Amino acid sequence: MTARNGRTVRDLRRANRTAVLQRLYFDGPLSRFELGPATGLSSGSVSNVVADLVADGLVEEAGSVDSDGGRPRTLLRVSPGSGHMIGVDVGETRVRIELFDLTLTELARAQRPLTHRRYEVEGIVGHVRDGVAEVLDAAGIAPERLLGVGIGVPGIVERTPERGAVVHGQTIGWDAVPLEELLRGSSSLPGTVPYFIDNGARTLGQAEMWFGGGRGARNAVVVLFGSGVGACLVTPEVEHGRAVEWGHLTVRVRGRRCRCGALGCLEAYAGAEALLDRWREEGGQPPEGTDEETALTAMLAAAHPAEGGGEADPVARAVLEETAEYLGAGLSDLINLFQPERILIGGWAGLQLGSGFLSAVRRHAVAYALRYPAEKVAVELGRLGPDAVTVGAAILPLADFFARGGRRPEPPPGGPAPAWQTVLEERAPRTG
């Protein structure tokens, strides 16, 4: 049966289940009485939907509260064990894999450090495959119970009908890598378990918008600051949660060579890799044989030694100050173009540089931006820490689960934009 607007009864039921699940997930526990105004559904519809969700094991009772003169009202919540997701961060120093229950409580994690040839495709595929198997085994979760595996990667992700998600990562040497196809070919996961692959800055952005510093904002920019830099824009004027290659904005004509091959990119001055290179070129001495995180820690200690730790390294301090100005100038472009309410800086390097560095970035951003939008933007550190990308990656199968009304996925490879994209773009959880 089809309604006048073209939606079938099945579509309406799925939409009602989605509405109830989302409200319980983000605002629960709630009573049936509270779910009516929260979802816009009639009391009869709420009762029917709740009965279905309880029968499916997705919703459970969570105590009761007194009502005004009547019987106590039973509270309901989403059942944590009714679904599981895996989030993967293909980062710059390691691949991090985390297993979550339906409420995004971490159940197990695995990490694979990346060596000098860190983005060799077969190695990345092996790290993801082995890490997924490890966390499932550690938590005793059967693979078929997974709602999906979300993966945040560097680069642009294209979805194709033939090969699924294909990654174009120019800065890491990935030229149309069919990552989803390669993972399916090497993994022992059932074919019904979908992969959701997206840009790492976007997964970071989704995590901060749903659960972190962006919650409640309509206009925000979430910056991923690691070896390189990227950003996720969430504004009414731009596709919701769109990842942009902000790191390849030109900030200096005929400037330094970026790892993408172009001259003068922001990433050639403001990424952690470039920051350490510039310190070395100016006579600094990063520790040899260490990863970037350790080297950046040493640079910060050299620029700002602890009390009694000796004199500061003026070269390290000067390079950090110049980096703050480049980042601030880059943020000013985002402020002028999109006028966000908030800018959140995450990523391992952004978090490591911390609040002291952030104050300098904020000062330069305001100085370079137009006064009116600059006065209205808050520039802050992200609130979800180093696991934000994996949390955001796990949101992808979670959002798909919501979009299906709590039904298990039956994914075809590739095809049109997946159902999770609809839920992400509705931005339903932005309350509070």
Side-chain angles (χ1 to χ4, degrees), residues 301-323:
H304 303 285
E307 187 174 348
E311 294 185 3
D313 179 346
V315 173
R317 181 169 290 185
V319 171
L320 285 169
E321 289 174 353
E322 186 182 42
T323 299

Side-chain angles (χ1 to χ4, degrees), residues 80-86 98-102 105-108 132-148 188-190 193 408:
S82 57
H84 299 84
M85 303 85 65
I86 287 177
E98 297 182 44
L99 172 68
F100 301 91
D101 68 15
L102 198 63
T105 298
E106 182 189 307
L107 303 179
V132 166
E134 181 179 331
V135 296
L136 287 172
D137 183 64
I141 301 297
E144 55 269 17
R145 291 176 60 187
L146 284 177
L147 299 177
S188 59
L189 291 180
V193 176
R408 292 273 169 173

Side-chain angles (χ1 to χ4, degrees), residues 11-45:
D11 293 334
L12 293 173
R13 287 175 177 167
R14 182 172 59 243
N16 290 348
R17 284 170 62 101
T18 294
V20 170
L21 275 173
Q22 288 189 158
R23 291 282 65 80
L24 287 176
Y25 192 87
F26 293 101
D27 302 327
L30 297 171
S31 67
R32 290 171 177 80
F33 178 80
E34 292 170 312
L35 278 169
T39 61
L41 300 177
S42 68
S43 59
S45 294

Side-chain angles (χ1 to χ4, degrees), residues 206-258:
Q206 290 300 337
E208 289 288 351
M209 296 306 294
W210 279 38
F211 302 110
R215 191 169 169 84
R218 280 182 53 80
N219 305 276
V221 175
V222 184
V223 171
L224 177 59
F225 180 19
S227 290
V229 291
C232 175
L233 304 179
V234 183
T235 76
E237 292 78 20
V238 179
E239 295 176 28
H240 304 305
R242 178 181 178 182
V244 293
E245 293 295 333
W246 174 61
H248 303 288
L249 176 81
T250 301
V251 295
R252 191 165 181 172
V253 176
R254 293 187 295 274
R256 290 175 59 88
R257 179 77 63 182
C258 179

Side-chain angles (χ1 to χ4, degrees), residues 148-218:
V149 179
I151 305 174
V153 298
I156 299 169
V157 179
E158 173 192 15
R159 295 177 183 86
T160 68
E162 300 82 11
R163 312 190 80 179
V166 174
V167 183
H168 304 270
Q170 187 169 327
T171 60
I172 61 172
W174 285 18
D175 182 13
V177 171
L179 184 59
E180 182 175 349
E181 183 179 75
L182 293 172
L183 287 169
R184 288 198 177 281
S186 69
S187 174
S188 59
L189 291 180
T192 53
V193 176
Y195 288 92
F196 303 88
I197 301 172
D198 212 329
N199 176 272
R202 186 167 188 255
T203 67
L204 170 68
Q206 290 300 337
E208 289 288 351
M209 296 306 294
W210 279 38
F211 302 110
R215 191 169 169 84
R218 280 182 53 80

Side-chain angles (χ1 to χ4, degrees), residues 82-128:
S82 57
H84 299 84
M85 303 85 65
I86 287 177
V88 179
D89 175 12
V90 178
E92 293 148 334
T93 60
R94 62 177 61 87
V95 176
R96 180 182 282 117
I97 305 99
E98 297 182 44
L99 172 68
F100 301 91
D101 68 15
L102 198 63
T103 58
L104 284 176
T105 298
E106 182 189 307
L107 303 179
R109 71 162 55 197
Q111 294 193 138
R112 298 289 189 275
L114 297 181
T115 58
H116 179 64
R117 296 184 63 190
R118 54 191 180 187
Y119 287 120
E120 190 268 326
V121 174
E122 290 183 4
I124 294 294
V125 169
H127 288 327
V128 175

